Amino acid sequence: MANPSNPIRWQQDGWIHYSFSASLAWIEAAGKQRYGSHFSLQEKDHPILYKLLIYAIGDKDNMAKQGLNPDKGLLVSGPVGCGKTSLMQLVNYFFPPRQRFTMLSARHITFNFIRQGYQVLHKYTEGSYQFKAGCYQPKTYCFDDIGIERPVHYFGNECNVMGEILLSRYDHFIQKKMLTHLTTNLSASELEGLYGNRLRSRMREMFNLVSFGRSSCDKRQ
């Protein structure tokens, strides 16, 4: 049973325990504060939230039961408006501080590339390290809504910005365990059509797929 002074998290027998129901209540309260009183969690989304939460807190036993690999990032897919972005932003608070990610819009990154050029690619690949605890550690990003951006031209050269970033981060994932998270409205076949089968193959290695049902409603309505 949870400690009343901390209903979400408590320590027992040398282990940190979490209450799923209290965590849902915290997320809903934080969502209302951040997004407005209309924010609410739907019971049919609880299985998705369970997967996101056990991943965030590093519950390896339950992750294994759900087919999640702690060494991979998250690829959260689902229809427009189903709550991917808001839930990822709220679940981010459950990660240990050193593992929390920065969420950025794929469109925003693409627009920055138009203005700043190839230094934008470097920022999220070779330049995506920070010095902590006496060593350089890879930064974790969550790229939001990948697939809605389109290839852009820079001084006459066409570049699929997010495709190039993901391909490069794959190399750092293999060499330095750099994690990346994604949200998308697209299916796996649609992502392949946009980025090619070379990247899709690497994405299978990089990500745990967590999918909302295609029938999930638009919660913005």
Side-chain angles (χ1 to χ4, degrees):
M1 182 175 293
N3 184 335
S5 65
N6 189 342
I8 295 176
R9 166 179 166 158
W10 73 102
Q11 188 165 351
Q12 181 178 322
D13 302 326
W15 294 88
I16 299 296
H17 299 261
Y18 286 80
S19 165
F20 181 56
S21 60
S23 297
L24 293 180
W26 185 93
I27 289 172
E28 182 153 354
K32 289 182 182 298
Q33 185 177 37
R34 183 166 184 169
Y35 302 111
S37 59
H38 64 280
F39 181 90
S40 64
L41 299 179
Q42 298 186 3
E43 187 173 354
K44 65 181 180 180
D45 292 336
H46 288 185
I48 298 292
L49 276 161
Y50 180 75
K51 290 183 179 181
L52 296 179
L53 285 168
I54 61 174
Y55 179 92
I57 66 175
D59 184 345
K60 293 184 179 179
D61 289 341
N62 282 310
M63 287 174 67
K65 294 175 184 177
Q66 295 291 325
L68 300 174
N69 185 335
D71 297 323
K72 296 182 179 183
L74 295 170
L75 171 52
V76 183
S77 68
V80 173
C82 68
K84 302 179 296 296
T85 300
S86 57
L87 291 182
M88 282 294 284
Q89 289 175 328
L90 293 169
V91 167
N92 197 18
Y93 291 102
F94 287 80
F95 283 83
R98 287 177 57 183
Q99 297 177 21
R100 290 176 187 163
F101 53 81
T102 300
M103 178 170 274
L104 295 170
S105 163
R107 290 179 70 246
H108 175 77
I109 293 171
T110 300
F111 292 150
N112 280 346
F113 177 84
I114 295 172
R115 293 193 297 267
Q116 302 172 25
Y118 287 92
Q119 64 177 315
V120 171
L121 302 186
H122 179 270
K123 179 178 180 179
Y124 301 112
T125 55
E126 289 83 358
S128 188
Y129 289 85
Q130 55 193 346
F131 192 77
K132 285 187 176 181
C135 62
Y136 284 96
Q137 300 174 10
K139 294 180 183 179
T140 303
Y141 286 99
C142 179
F143 298 122
D144 189 34
D145 270 348
I146 69 159
I148 64 171
E149 81 287 349
R150 291 293 180 265
V152 296
H153 289 82
Y154 185 75
F155 286 98
N157 297 315
E158 184 177 87
C159 180
N160 190 319
V161 178
M162 291 309 305
E164 291 298 328
I165 288 174
L166 292 174
L167 282 172
S168 293
R169 287 183 72 88
Y170 169 81
D171 294 334
H172 292 271
F173 164 73
I174 295 297
Q175 298 167 12
K176 301 291 184 180
K177 299 182 179 180
M178 177 181 283
L179 288 181
T180 306
H181 307 304
L182 305 175
T183 73
T184 185
N185 303 327
L186 304 184
S187 66
S189 59
E190 289 170 328
L191 288 172
E192 181 175 359
L194 184 62
Y195 297 117
N197 60 3
R198 179 167 169 256
L199 179 55
R200 182 181 176 184
S201 174
R202 285 158 174 76
M203 290 174 73
R204 293 191 188 100
E205 291 185 61
M206 293 175 69
F207 299 108
N208 296 289
L209 179 60
V210 179
S211 299
F212 285 82
R214 303 309 297 179
S215 61
S216 295
C217 64
D218 188 340
K219 299 179 179 66
R220 298 191 184 101
Q221 295 178 349

